[in-house]
Amino acid sequence: MAEISKTDPGTNLFPEFENLYDLISSEVVGLDDAQLDFTSKDWSWSEWSIRMQLSHMASLIPRWLVARWGHETFPNGDHGLGNLTPIIDSPSDRRLDDEIFHEISDIMKMLHRCIEIANRVISENSVEFLRERFIRRDPTPQWVSMSRAHPWGVTVEETAKKGDMAAGTMSLEATLRHIYFEEITHLYNIQRLKKAQNLRTVVDVPKVGYWTLEDWDRSEPT
């Protein structure tokens, strides 16, 4: 692999984003409403249906790249998403507004648009830009574990231990890596939800990110 220069475009860091939408859509195409809305109390990962997983996967991208990083990524507000409230600040828990984005076609269209937002940030900025800009992220207990999936770009306060509200900082590069890890981990959840319904899985989920951590819940339907 060629060495990455700080003047290279961000696409050299994240080529996997180019085919991310196709990877996700291939796994869910053709599912009916009953399959999309299946939930179970048997596992924590099955409390959100496939429809809800996809809605979250769309919403999380602009919640990071526009709501938190917009002063750097879209200083002129030209993200192209229009009214952000139903996308990043809806009454639905960390998802698109369920009342507006219920049909799977609408959710998938928004997911595609949001992944394109990520691709814009990646392609329009240099490696140096992505690596040298930091924000303080919201403290949550998950970051003690999730930070271990990042080779660099994520800090956790030294006193934090598992279960603590782990404060710290995050580079724009690490934010994009986090977004990819989130998308892949929720794709893994979608496959588990399909297995719980005795449905065939389609794609090979990349073995990267949060779902590969030692302490991650990788329980499977039996």
mmCIF file of all heavy atoms in Angstrom, residues 99-140:
data_model
loop_
_atom_site.group_PDB
_atom_site.id
_atom_site.type_symbol
_atom_site.label_atom_id
_atom_site.label_comp_id
_atom_site.label_asym_id
_atom_site.label_seq_id
_atom_site.Cartn_x
_atom_site.Cartn_y
_atom_site.Cartn_z
ATOM 1 N N GLU A 99 -42.329 9.400 11.825
ATOM 2 C CA GLU A 99 -43.576 9.806 11.175
ATOM 3 C C GLU A 99 -43.340 10.243 9.730
ATOM 4 O O GLU A 99 -44.207 10.071 8.871
ATOM 5 C CB GLU A 99 -44.225 10.953 11.962
ATOM 6 C CG GLU A 99 -44.664 10.578 13.369
ATOM 7 C CD GLU A 99 -45.740 9.505 13.360
ATOM 8 O OE1 GLU A 99 -46.649 9.590 12.507
ATOM 9 O OE2 GLU A 99 -45.664 8.579 14.192
ATOM 10 N N ILE A 100 -42.179 10.795 9.469
ATOM 11 C CA ILE A 100 -41.863 11.291 8.125
ATOM 12 C C ILE A 100 -41.136 10.236 7.304
ATOM 13 O O ILE A 100 -41.390 10.061 6.111
ATOM 14 C CB ILE A 100 -41.017 12.575 8.223
ATOM 15 C CG1 ILE A 100 -41.817 13.672 8.937
ATOM 16 C CG2 ILE A 100 -40.555 13.045 6.840
ATOM 17 C CD1 ILE A 100 -41.020 14.922 9.236
ATOM 18 N N PHE A 101 -40.228 9.518 7.967
ATOM 19 C CA PHE A 101 -39.414 8.509 7.285
ATOM 20 C C PHE A 101 -39.804 7.114 7.782
ATOM 21 O O PHE A 101 -39.084 6.494 8.560
ATOM 22 C CB PHE A 101 -37.925 8.764 7.539
ATOM 23 C CG PHE A 101 -37.416 10.053 6.974
ATOM 24 C CD1 PHE A 101 -37.349 11.196 7.763
ATOM 25 C CD2 PHE A 101 -37.009 10.137 5.653
ATOM 26 C CE1 PHE A 101 -36.875 12.393 7.249
ATOM 27 C CE2 PHE A 101 -36.539 11.328 5.123
ATOM 28 C CZ PHE A 101 -36.474 12.462 5.926
ATOM 29 N N HIS A 102 -40.966 6.666 7.327
ATOM 30 C CA HIS A 102 -41.395 5.314 7.683
ATOM 31 C C HIS A 102 -41.192 4.347 6.523
ATOM 32 O O HIS A 102 -40.699 3.231 6.723
ATOM 33 C CB HIS A 102 -42.864 5.294 8.107
ATOM 34 C CG HIS A 102 -43.361 3.900 8.375
ATOM 35 N ND1 HIS A 102 -43.003 3.185 9.501
ATOM 36 C CD2 HIS A 102 -44.153 3.071 7.634
ATOM 37 C CE1 HIS A 102 -43.552 1.989 9.457
ATOM 38 N NE2 HIS A 102 -44.258 1.887 8.340
ATOM 39 N N GLU A 103 -41.566 4.758 5.335
ATOM 40 C CA GLU A 103 -41.408 3.876 4.178
ATOM 41 C C GLU A 103 -39.929 3.574 3.962
ATOM 42 O O GLU A 103 -39.082 4.468 4.023
ATOM 43 C CB GLU A 103 -41.998 4.516 2.922
ATOM 44 C CG GLU A 103 -43.504 4.720 2.976
ATOM 45 C CD GLU A 103 -44.261 3.407 3.123
ATOM 46 O OE1 GLU A 103 -43.793 2.391 2.552
ATOM 47 O OE2 GLU A 103 -45.294 3.399 3.800
ATOM 48 N N ILE A 104 -39.635 2.315 3.697
ATOM 49 C CA ILE A 104 -38.237 1.922 3.548
ATOM 50 C C ILE A 104 -37.580 2.645 2.381
ATOM 51 O O ILE A 104 -36.381 2.966 2.429
ATOM 52 C CB ILE A 104 -38.116 0.383 3.399
ATOM 53 C CG1 ILE A 104 -36.657 -0.058 3.546
ATOM 54 C CG2 ILE A 104 -38.725 -0.089 2.102
ATOM 55 C CD1 ILE A 104 -36.040 0.241 4.892
ATOM 56 N N SER A 105 -38.343 2.951 1.347
ATOM 57 C CA SER A 105 -37.768 3.675 0.206
ATOM 58 C C SER A 105 -37.300 5.060 0.625
ATOM 59 O O SER A 105 -36.247 5.537 0.169
ATOM 60 C CB SER A 105 -38.787 3.774 -0.932
ATOM 61 O OG SER A 105 -39.962 4.438 -0.497
ATOM 62 N N ASP A 106 -38.053 5.720 1.510
ATOM 63 C CA ASP A 106 -37.662 7.051 1.983
ATOM 64 C C ASP A 106 -36.431 6.975 2.884
ATOM 65 O O ASP A 106 -35.549 7.839 2.821
ATOM 66 C CB ASP A 106 -38.819 7.710 2.737
ATOM 67 C CG ASP A 106 -39.998 8.034 1.832
ATOM 68 O OD1 ASP A 106 -39.774 8.252 0.622
ATOM 69 O OD2 ASP A 106 -41.139 8.063 2.329
ATOM 70 N N ILE A 107 -36.388 5.954 3.721
ATOM 71 C CA ILE A 107 -35.224 5.780 4.599
ATOM 72 C C ILE A 107 -33.972 5.517 3.771
ATOM 73 O O ILE A 107 -32.914 6.104 4.013
ATOM 74 C CB ILE A 107 -35.468 4.630 5.594
ATOM 75 C CG1 ILE A 107 -36.606 4.992 6.556
ATOM 76 C CG2 ILE A 107 -34.191 4.302 6.373
ATOM 77 C CD1 ILE A 107 -37.054 3.845 7.445
ATOM 78 N N MET A 108 -34.097 4.655 2.770
ATOM 79 C CA MET A 108 -32.928 4.313 1.963
ATOM 80 C C MET A 108 -32.465 5.501 1.120
ATOM 81 O O MET A 108 -31.257 5.698 0.920
ATOM 82 C CB MET A 108 -33.230 3.107 1.083
ATOM 83 C CG MET A 108 -33.485 1.813 1.861
ATOM 84 S SD MET A 108 -32.139 1.362 2.999
ATOM 85 C CE MET A 108 -30.845 0.915 1.826
ATOM 86 N N LYS A 109 -33.399 6.297 0.632
ATOM 87 C CA LYS A 109 -33.006 7.506 -0.106
ATOM 88 C C LYS A 109 -32.214 8.446 0.799
ATOM 89 O O LYS A 109 -31.202 9.026 0.384
ATOM 90 C CB LYS A 109 -34.242 8.217 -0.655
ATOM 91 C CG LYS A 109 -34.875 7.540 -1.855
ATOM 92 C CD LYS A 109 -36.143 8.278 -2.283
ATOM 93 C CE LYS A 109 -36.860 7.540 -3.406
ATOM 94 N NZ LYS A 109 -38.155 8.199 -3.745
ATOM 95 N N MET A 110 -32.679 8.608 2.033
ATOM 96 C CA MET A 110 -31.965 9.487 2.951
ATOM 97 C C MET A 110 -30.623 8.887 3.352
ATOM 98 O O MET A 110 -29.626 9.610 3.487
ATOM 99 C CB MET A 110 -32.820 9.774 4.182
ATOM 100 C CG MET A 110 -32.173 10.745 5.172
ATOM 101 S SD MET A 110 -31.643 12.327 4.431
ATOM 102 C CE MET A 110 -33.244 13.049 4.015
ATOM 103 N N LEU A 111 -30.566 7.582 3.538
ATOM 104 C CA LEU A 111 -29.288 6.940 3.838
ATOM 105 C C LEU A 111 -28.290 7.197 2.711
ATOM 106 O O LEU A 111 -27.121 7.518 2.957
ATOM 107 C CB LEU A 111 -29.477 5.439 4.054
ATOM 108 C CG LEU A 111 -28.199 4.623 4.281
ATOM 109 C CD1 LEU A 111 -27.459 5.091 5.530
ATOM 110 C CD2 LEU A 111 -28.527 3.132 4.378
ATOM 111 N N HIS A 112 -28.752 7.073 1.478
ATOM 112 C CA HIS A 112 -27.880 7.324 0.331
ATOM 113 C C HIS A 112 -27.394 8.773 0.338
ATOM 114 O O HIS A 112 -26.193 9.041 0.137
ATOM 115 C CB HIS A 112 -28.624 7.024 -0.964
ATOM 116 C CG HIS A 112 -27.764 7.110 -2.186
ATOM 117 N ND1 HIS A 112 -27.612 8.285 -2.903
ATOM 118 C CD2 HIS A 112 -26.988 6.183 -2.806
ATOM 119 C CE1 HIS A 112 -26.791 8.074 -3.915
ATOM 120 N NE2 HIS A 112 -26.394 6.811 -3.883
ATOM 121 N N ARG A 113 -28.289 9.711 0.591
ATOM 122 C CA ARG A 113 -27.904 11.126 0.628
ATOM 123 C C ARG A 113 -26.897 11.392 1.745
ATOM 124 O O ARG A 113 -25.946 12.165 1.559
ATOM 125 C CB ARG A 113 -29.142 12.005 0.821
ATOM 126 C CG ARG A 113 -30.074 12.050 -0.372
ATOM 127 C CD ARG A 113 -31.296 12.910 -0.087
ATOM 128 N NE ARG A 113 -30.933 14.316 0.069
ATOM 129 C CZ ARG A 113 -31.786 15.254 0.472
ATOM 130 N NH1 ARG A 113 -33.039 14.923 0.776
ATOM 131 N NH2 ARG A 113 -31.391 16.511 0.580
ATOM 132 N N CYS A 114 -27.095 10.756 2.877
ATOM 133 C CA CYS A 114 -26.203 10.991 4.012
ATOM 134 C C CYS A 114 -24.822 10.375 3.780
ATOM 135 O O CYS A 114 -23.802 10.962 4.162
ATOM 136 C CB CYS A 114 -26.832 10.459 5.294
ATOM 137 S SG CYS A 114 -28.288 11.414 5.826
ATOM 138 N N ILE A 115 -24.779 9.212 3.155
ATOM 139 C CA ILE A 115 -23.480 8.631 2.810
ATOM 140 C C ILE A 115 -22.769 9.518 1.797
ATOM 141 O O ILE A 115 -21.538 9.684 1.847
ATOM 142 C CB ILE A 115 -23.649 7.188 2.298
ATOM 143 C CG1 ILE A 115 -24.072 6.269 3.457
ATOM 144 C CG2 ILE A 115 -22.351 6.674 1.666
ATOM 145 C CD1 ILE A 115 -24.399 4.850 3.045
ATOM 146 N N GLU A 116 -23.525 10.133 0.899
ATOM 147 C CA GLU A 116 -22.914 11.071 -0.051
ATOM 148 C C GLU A 116 -22.367 12.306 0.669
ATOM 149 O O GLU A 116 -21.363 12.888 0.235
ATOM 150 C CB GLU A 116 -23.925 11.472 -1.125
ATOM 151 C CG GLU A 116 -24.174 10.370 -2.153
ATOM 152 C CD GLU A 116 -22.870 9.887 -2.772
ATOM 153 O OE1 GLU A 116 -22.166 10.713 -3.381
ATOM 154 O OE2 GLU A 116 -22.543 8.691 -2.629
ATOM 155 N N ILE A 117 -23.014 12.711 1.756
ATOM 156 C CA ILE A 117 -22.473 13.799 2.582
ATOM 157 C C ILE A 117 -21.089 13.404 3.099
ATOM 158 O O ILE A 117 -20.133 14.186 3.057
ATOM 159 C CB ILE A 117 -23.415 14.101 3.764
ATOM 160 C CG1 ILE A 117 -24.694 14.773 3.278
ATOM 161 C CG2 ILE A 117 -22.715 14.953 4.824
ATOM 162 C CD1 ILE A 117 -24.545 16.213 2.881
ATOM 163 N N ALA A 118 -20.981 12.179 3.604
ATOM 164 C CA ALA A 118 -19.685 11.697 4.086
ATOM 165 C C ALA A 118 -18.663 11.669 2.955
ATOM 166 O O ALA A 118 -17.503 12.075 3.139
ATOM 167 C CB ALA A 118 -19.837 10.311 4.705
ATOM 168 N N ASN A 119 -19.075 11.213 1.789
ATOM 169 C CA ASN A 119 -18.152 11.164 0.654
ATOM 170 C C ASN A 119 -17.695 12.559 0.232
ATOM 171 O O ASN A 119 -16.554 12.741 -0.204
ATOM 172 C CB ASN A 119 -18.803 10.431 -0.518
ATOM 173 C CG ASN A 119 -18.658 8.925 -0.407
ATOM 174 O OD1 ASN A 119 -17.572 8.427 -0.130
ATOM 175 N ND2 ASN A 119 -19.744 8.195 -0.619
ATOM 176 N N ARG A 120 -18.572 13.548 0.365
ATOM 177 C CA ARG A 120 -18.167 14.926 0.070
ATOM 178 C C ARG A 120 -17.088 15.395 1.040
ATOM 179 O O ARG A 120 -16.079 15.979 0.635
ATOM 180 C CB ARG A 120 -19.369 15.870 0.157
ATOM 181 C CG ARG A 120 -20.218 15.947 -1.083
ATOM 182 C CD ARG A 120 -21.288 17.015 -0.928
ATOM 183 N NE ARG A 120 -20.725 18.349 -0.703
ATOM 184 C CZ ARG A 120 -21.450 19.399 -0.317
ATOM 185 N NH1 ARG A 120 -22.748 19.272 -0.086
ATOM 186 N NH2 ARG A 120 -20.876 20.577 -0.145
ATOM 187 N N VAL A 121 -17.310 15.155 2.313
ATOM 188 C CA VAL A 121 -16.330 15.572 3.319
ATOM 189 C C VAL A 121 -14.989 14.891 3.052
ATOM 190 O O VAL A 121 -13.924 15.517 3.134
ATOM 191 C CB VAL A 121 -16.837 15.247 4.738
ATOM 192 C CG1 VAL A 121 -15.750 15.489 5.782
ATOM 193 C CG2 VAL A 121 -18.080 16.073 5.060
ATOM 194 N N ILE A 122 -15.039 13.622 2.711
ATOM 195 C CA ILE A 122 -13.813 12.863 2.466
ATOM 196 C C ILE A 122 -13.088 13.370 1.222
ATOM 197 O O ILE A 122 -11.869 13.579 1.237
ATOM 198 C CB ILE A 122 -14.154 11.363 2.324
ATOM 199 C CG1 ILE A 122 -14.619 10.795 3.670
ATOM 200 C CG2 ILE A 122 -12.955 10.576 1.797
ATOM 201 C CD1 ILE A 122 -15.285 9.440 3.558
ATOM 202 N N SER A 123 -13.821 13.571 0.142
ATOM 203 C CA SER A 123 -13.184 13.909 -1.134
ATOM 204 C C SER A 123 -12.760 15.370 -1.226
ATOM 205 O O SER A 123 -11.816 15.698 -1.954
ATOM 206 C CB SER A 123 -14.120 13.571 -2.298
ATOM 207 O OG SER A 123 -15.297 14.365 -2.253
ATOM 208 N N GLU A 124 -13.437 16.252 -0.503
ATOM 209 C CA GLU A 124 -13.164 17.684 -0.625
ATOM 210 C C GLU A 124 -12.123 18.193 0.365
ATOM 211 O O GLU A 124 -11.791 19.386 0.350
ATOM 212 C CB GLU A 124 -14.465 18.475 -0.460
ATOM 213 C CG GLU A 124 -15.458 18.239 -1.599
ATOM 214 C CD GLU A 124 -16.790 18.945 -1.389
ATOM 215 O OE1 GLU A 124 -16.909 19.688 -0.377
ATOM 216 O OE2 GLU A 124 -17.698 18.751 -2.218
ATOM 217 N N ASN A 125 -11.615 17.304 1.215
ATOM 218 C CA ASN A 125 -10.643 17.726 2.223
ATOM 219 C C ASN A 125 -9.417 16.821 2.200
ATOM 220 O O ASN A 125 -9.502 15.640 1.857
ATOM 221 C CB ASN A 125 -11.278 17.716 3.613
ATOM 222 C CG ASN A 125 -12.380 18.753 3.744
ATOM 223 O OD1 ASN A 125 -12.113 19.950 3.760
ATOM 224 N ND2 ASN A 125 -13.624 18.298 3.811
ATOM 225 N N SER A 126 -8.296 17.393 2.591
ATOM 226 C CA SER A 126 -7.035 16.654 2.574
ATOM 227 C C SER A 126 -6.890 15.793 3.822
ATOM 228 O O SER A 126 -7.592 15.985 4.828
ATOM 229 C CB SER A 126 -5.858 17.629 2.508
ATOM 230 O OG SER A 126 -5.768 18.376 3.720
ATOM 231 N N VAL A 127 -5.958 14.868 3.758
ATOM 232 C CA VAL A 127 -5.630 14.052 4.917
ATOM 233 C C VAL A 127 -5.230 14.944 6.089
ATOM 234 O O VAL A 127 -5.652 14.724 7.233
ATOM 235 C CB VAL A 127 -4.493 13.063 4.568
ATOM 236 C CG1 VAL A 127 -3.951 12.383 5.823
ATOM 237 C CG2 VAL A 127 -4.983 12.026 3.554
ATOM 238 N N GLU A 128 -4.441 15.963 5.819
ATOM 239 C CA GLU A 128 -4.017 16.883 6.873
ATOM 240 C C GLU A 128 -5.219 17.554 7.533
ATOM 241 O O GLU A 128 -5.289 17.661 8.768
ATOM 242 C CB GLU A 128 -3.082 17.941 6.293
ATOM 243 C CG GLU A 128 -2.552 18.931 7.315
ATOM 244 C CD GLU A 128 -1.600 19.935 6.690
ATOM 245 O OE1 GLU A 128 -1.793 20.300 5.508
ATOM 246 O OE2 GLU A 128 -0.651 20.352 7.390
ATOM 247 N N PHE A 129 -6.162 18.020 6.728
ATOM 248 C CA PHE A 129 -7.365 18.665 7.252
ATOM 249 C C PHE A 129 -8.117 17.710 8.177
ATOM 250 O O PHE A 129 -8.540 18.086 9.283
ATOM 251 C CB PHE A 129 -8.254 19.093 6.088
ATOM 252 C CG PHE A 129 -9.495 19.850 6.484
ATOM 253 C CD1 PHE A 129 -9.509 21.228 6.488
ATOM 254 C CD2 PHE A 129 -10.662 19.172 6.834
ATOM 255 C CE1 PHE A 129 -10.660 21.934 6.846
ATOM 256 C CE2 PHE A 129 -11.813 19.865 7.195
ATOM 257 C CZ PHE A 129 -11.806 21.253 7.200
ATOM 258 N N LEU A 130 -8.298 16.483 7.748
ATOM 259 C CA LEU A 130 -9.067 15.512 8.527
ATOM 260 C C LEU A 130 -8.361 15.135 9.822
ATOM 261 O O LEU A 130 -9.017 14.879 10.836
ATOM 262 C CB LEU A 130 -9.317 14.251 7.698
ATOM 263 C CG LEU A 130 -10.103 14.424 6.390
ATOM 264 C CD1 LEU A 130 -10.258 13.079 5.688
ATOM 265 C CD2 LEU A 130 -11.463 15.057 6.630
ATOM 266 N N ARG A 131 -7.032 15.118 9.799
ATOM 267 C CA ARG A 131 -6.284 14.649 10.965
ATOM 268 C C ARG A 131 -6.002 15.744 11.990
ATOM 269 O O ARG A 131 -5.776 15.431 13.168
ATOM 270 C CB ARG A 131 -4.964 14.018 10.515
ATOM 271 C CG ARG A 131 -5.160 12.655 9.880
ATOM 272 C CD ARG A 131 -3.850 11.984 9.508
ATOM 273 N NE ARG A 131 -4.090 10.588 9.144
ATOM 274 C CZ ARG A 131 -3.176 9.789 8.600
ATOM 275 N NH1 ARG A 131 -1.950 10.246 8.357
ATOM 276 N NH2 ARG A 131 -3.477 8.534 8.309
ATOM 277 N N GLU A 132 -6.014 16.990 11.565
ATOM 278 C CA GLU A 132 -5.583 18.057 12.471
ATOM 279 C C GLU A 132 -6.734 18.793 13.147
ATOM 280 O O GLU A 132 -6.488 19.654 13.993
ATOM 281 C CB GLU A 132 -4.698 19.049 11.711
ATOM 282 C CG GLU A 132 -3.361 18.444 11.303
ATOM 283 C CD GLU A 132 -2.374 19.475 10.795
ATOM 284 O OE1 GLU A 132 -2.784 20.650 10.637
ATOM 285 O OE2 GLU A 132 -1.207 19.108 10.564
ATOM 286 N N ARG A 133 -7.965 18.460 12.805
ATOM 287 C CA ARG A 133 -9.106 19.128 13.424
ATOM 288 C C ARG A 133 -9.775 18.200 14.436
ATOM 289 O O ARG A 133 -10.054 17.049 14.127
ATOM 290 C CB ARG A 133 -10.094 19.594 12.349
ATOM 291 C CG ARG A 133 -9.620 20.873 11.681
ATOM 292 C CD ARG A 133 -10.143 21.066 10.294
ATOM 293 N NE ARG A 133 -9.711 22.358 9.757
ATOM 294 C CZ ARG A 133 -8.507 22.571 9.233
ATOM 295 N NH1 ARG A 133 -7.624 21.585 9.174
ATOM 296 N NH2 ARG A 133 -8.187 23.767 8.774
ATOM 297 N N PHE A 134 -10.021 18.749 15.620
ATOM 298 C CA PHE A 134 -10.571 17.968 16.726
ATOM 299 C C PHE A 134 -11.781 18.679 17.335
ATOM 300 O O PHE A 134 -11.879 19.902 17.299
ATOM 301 C CB PHE A 134 -9.523 17.778 17.834
ATOM 302 C CG PHE A 134 -8.486 16.734 17.532
ATOM 303 C CD1 PHE A 134 -7.419 17.028 16.696
ATOM 304 C CD2 PHE A 134 -8.568 15.465 18.079
ATOM 305 C CE1 PHE A 134 -6.452 16.081 16.408
ATOM 306 C CE2 PHE A 134 -7.609 14.505 17.802
ATOM 307 C CZ PHE A 134 -6.541 14.812 16.968
ATOM 308 N N ILE A 135 -12.682 17.886 17.886
ATOM 309 C CA ILE A 135 -13.768 18.397 18.713
ATOM 310 C C ILE A 135 -13.796 17.597 20.009
ATOM 311 O O ILE A 135 -13.251 16.488 20.084
ATOM 312 C CB ILE A 135 -15.152 18.274 18.025
ATOM 313 C CG1 ILE A 135 -15.439 16.810 17.638
ATOM 314 C CG2 ILE A 135 -15.255 19.202 16.831
ATOM 315 C CD1 ILE A 135 -16.867 16.560 17.176
ATOM 316 N N ARG A 136 -14.438 18.157 21.017
ATOM 317 C CA ARG A 136 -14.758 17.365 22.202
ATOM 318 C C ARG A 136 -16.069 16.649 21.919
ATOM 319 O O ARG A 136 -17.045 17.264 21.503
ATOM 320 C CB ARG A 136 -14.880 18.250 23.444
ATOM 321 C CG ARG A 136 -13.536 18.739 23.957
ATOM 322 C CD ARG A 136 -13.619 19.233 25.384
ATOM 323 N NE ARG A 136 -13.948 18.177 26.337
ATOM 324 C CZ ARG A 136 -13.063 17.305 26.836
ATOM 325 N NH1 ARG A 136 -11.791 17.349 26.461
ATOM 326 N NH2 ARG A 136 -13.448 16.392 27.703
ATOM 327 N N ARG A 137 -16.071 15.349 22.112
ATOM 328 C CA ARG A 137 -17.277 14.573 21.837
ATOM 329 C C ARG A 137 -18.085 14.400 23.117
ATOM 330 O O ARG A 137 -17.580 14.585 24.222
ATOM 331 C CB ARG A 137 -16.907 13.206 21.261
ATOM 332 C CG ARG A 137 -15.899 12.489 22.067
ATOM 333 C CD ARG A 137 -15.631 11.078 21.631
ATOM 334 N NE ARG A 137 -14.547 10.540 22.434
ATOM 335 C CZ ARG A 137 -14.649 10.255 23.714
ATOM 336 N NH1 ARG A 137 -15.790 10.429 24.340
ATOM 337 N NH2 ARG A 137 -13.616 9.788 24.384
ATOM 338 N N ASP A 138 -19.343 14.030 22.931
ATOM 339 C CA ASP A 138 -20.212 13.796 24.077
ATOM 340 C C ASP A 138 -19.699 12.597 24.872
ATOM 341 O O ASP A 138 -19.383 11.550 24.294
ATOM 342 C CB ASP A 138 -21.645 13.515 23.615
ATOM 343 C CG ASP A 138 -22.241 14.686 22.850
ATOM 344 O OD1 ASP A 138 -21.781 15.819 23.073
ATOM 345 O OD2 ASP A 138 -23.146 14.454 22.028
ATOM 346 N N PRO A 139 -19.610 12.716 26.198
ATOM 347 C CA PRO A 139 -19.149 11.578 26.996
ATOM 348 C C PRO A 139 -20.229 10.509 27.128
ATOM 349 O O PRO A 139 -21.372 10.803 27.487
ATOM 350 C CB PRO A 139 -18.831 12.208 28.357
ATOM 351 C CG PRO A 139 -19.695 13.420 28.429
ATOM 352 C CD PRO A 139 -19.854 13.913 27.022
ATOM 353 N N THR A 140 -19.883 9.292 26.789
ATOM 354 C CA THR A 140 -20.768 8.142 26.989
ATOM 355 C C THR A 140 -19.915 6.976 27.474
ATOM 356 O O THR A 140 -18.712 6.916 27.194
ATOM 357 C CB THR A 140 -21.483 7.716 25.689
ATOM 358 O OG1 THR A 140 -20.516 7.184 24.770
ATOM 359 C CG2 THR A 140 -22.213 8.890 25.046
#
